[in-house]
Amino acid sequence: MLIVDDSRDDAELAELALRDAGLAVETRRVHSEAGLVEALEAFAPRVVLSDVNLPGFSGAEALALTRRLRPGVPVVFMTGSVYGLPGDALPEGDALVHKDQLDRLPAALAEVLAAEDGKAE
């Protein structure tokens, strides 16, 4: 799994939530557009877990890059922000998990990966 997040703590908490659920995951973390491009070219993740808001880079841009460089790889967004104000829009990824509800992350990933596996059949 590739984690796109500028917060090392948030990335570690996401990884911990997956490990606590019994999932064996290999993760890499990046926090910039250049890091994402390099990681997508060098590492074949099954899923990209991305923060929505990154300094100088956005979840929407991470989604577009992933779709272009690794078509078919699901993108799950994490956010600590509350949306719903006029003009606020979440990028259209494959799932969304709030950072204060990371206990929901394993189920969200399982659902997204099952859907991808179903497309491959």
Side-chain angles (χ1 to χ4, degrees), residues 11-69:
E12 288 176 359
L13 288 171
E15 186 175 349
L16 184 61
L18 297 172
R19 292 190 192 285
D20 283 350
L23 300 173
V25 293
E26 175 188 351
T27 62
R28 295 190 186 177
R29 183 181 75 90
V30 299
H31 61 275
S32 66
E33 180 177 4
L36 178 59
V37 170
E38 183 179 315
L40 288 172
E41 290 174 348
F43 176 59
R46 263 202 86 202
V47 65
V48 172
L49 181 60
S50 179
D51 192 356
V52 172
N53 297 305
L54 300 153
F57 187 53
S58 71
E61 291 169 308
L63 175 66
L65 270 173
T66 301
R67 295 285 193 252
R68 184 169 49 95
L69 297 174

Side-chain angles (χ1 to χ4, degrees), residues 34 38 50-51 58-59 63 66 76-77 80 85 89 97 100 102 107 115 119:
E38 183 179 315
S50 179
D51 192 356
S58 71
L63 175 66
T66 301
V76 174
F77 285 110
L85 300 174
V97 176
D100 62 351
L102 287 176
K119 289 179 189 175

